[in-house]
Amino acid sequence: MTINSVNILFSWYDEDEKLLKELKKRADDGNQECLADFIGIQTELSTNEDEVKANLAALKKLSDQGISRASLVLGVLYNEGLCKDSKVNDSEIFIEQDFETSDFYLERAAKENNPVALFMLSLHTWFRHSVFDYSDDEEYPCQSPNKEDFEKGKKWMEKFISLASDNSLDEESREYIQKHMPLVQGWLKSFDD
């Protein structure tokens, strides 16, 4: 069974027992990237607040140890937030949606050339550039970006694009970059328009 380490993050909602068993086996064998994915999936599936807190602590510890995948998982969890039952509007919130914390962890992963983190940072930058209207006093779920934030975001986009010629990346990462390259190039161009 091949585990796509780039795209597995986006299949968390698919409760594939075979995938979970393989991730657990690889995690038990010492694969820290698989451990981060396994903890992330368990967090997504959890209905227990204490378990979610313990999982976040474990992921933060892995991130602090330099495990890029753990940083990416944390970035995604804080980007999305987590409720006990996402189908219920007044559900108990386990992880508060926090874009600043999400960006912190995504940037940590991006520094390790993680293409998913670079893509998400590029998306965040483009989205903020596209929707923020500085003429009103609306409240936004994240701090209003300034010129330096956009310059940093443009650098993440440029880094994502530059990875296309990085031969040291695995095939899955290169495919992910090629698939998303037109979007990131378009977003980067939108800053010049």
Side-chain angles (χ1 to χ4, degrees), residues 31-154:
N31 185 316
Q32 300 295 295
E33 303 286 320
C34 286
L35 177 60
D37 280 334
F38 182 77
I39 294 170
I41 292 169
Q42 293 303 311
T43 303
E44 285 281 321
L45 298 175
S46 180
T47 58
N48 181 293
E49 184 174 12
D50 291 334
E51 181 182 22
V52 170
K53 286 179 181 178
N55 288 346
L56 285 177
L59 286 167
K60 288 175 182 178
K61 183 177 179 182
L62 288 171
S63 175
D64 290 344
Q65 293 171 356
I67 307 301
S68 170
R69 192 66 178 179
S71 299
L72 175 63
V73 170
L74 283 164
V76 170
L77 287 171
Y78 281 106
N79 183 68
E80 299 298 321
L82 182 65
C83 295
K84 184 175 183 178
D85 183 354
S86 60
K87 296 179 179 100
V88 179
N89 290 338
D90 60 353
S91 180
E92 184 178 357
I93 295 174
F94 287 163
I95 300 174
E96 190 78 39
Q97 189 175 42
D98 182 341
F99 296 121
E100 289 179 47
T101 302
S102 173
D103 282 357
F104 170 82
Y105 285 108
L106 290 174
E107 287 180 12
R108 201 179 251 192
K111 289 176 183 171
E112 300 295 324
N113 292 335
N114 185 298
V116 179
L118 284 164
F119 178 77
M120 288 183 69
L121 287 167
S122 298
L123 173 63
H124 292 176
T125 302
W126 172 81
F127 178 76
R128 291 171 186 155
H129 179 259
S130 300
V131 302
F132 276 92
D133 179 359
Y134 299 104
S135 64
D136 61 33
D137 292 329
E138 271 191 60
E139 224 175 274
Y140 291 99
C142 57
Q143 181 179 346
S144 297
N146 57 37
K147 184 177 180 178
E148 291 80 28
D149 293 328
F150 289 129
E151 290 304 317
K152 185 167 66 169
K154 287 168 60 174

Side-chain angles (χ1 to χ4, degrees), residues 10-43:
F10 302 103
S11 65
W12 284 3
Y13 298 103
D14 184 11
E15 298 179 40
D16 184 339
E17 289 298 320
K18 194 172 174 185
L19 172 69
L20 288 175
K21 285 179 183 174
E22 182 64 22
L23 273 177
K24 178 74 170 121
K25 179 184 179 306
R26 290 185 187 189
D28 290 344
D29 289 342
N31 185 316
Q32 300 295 295
E33 303 286 320
C34 286
L35 177 60
D37 280 334
F38 182 77
I39 294 170
I41 292 169
Q42 293 303 311
T43 303

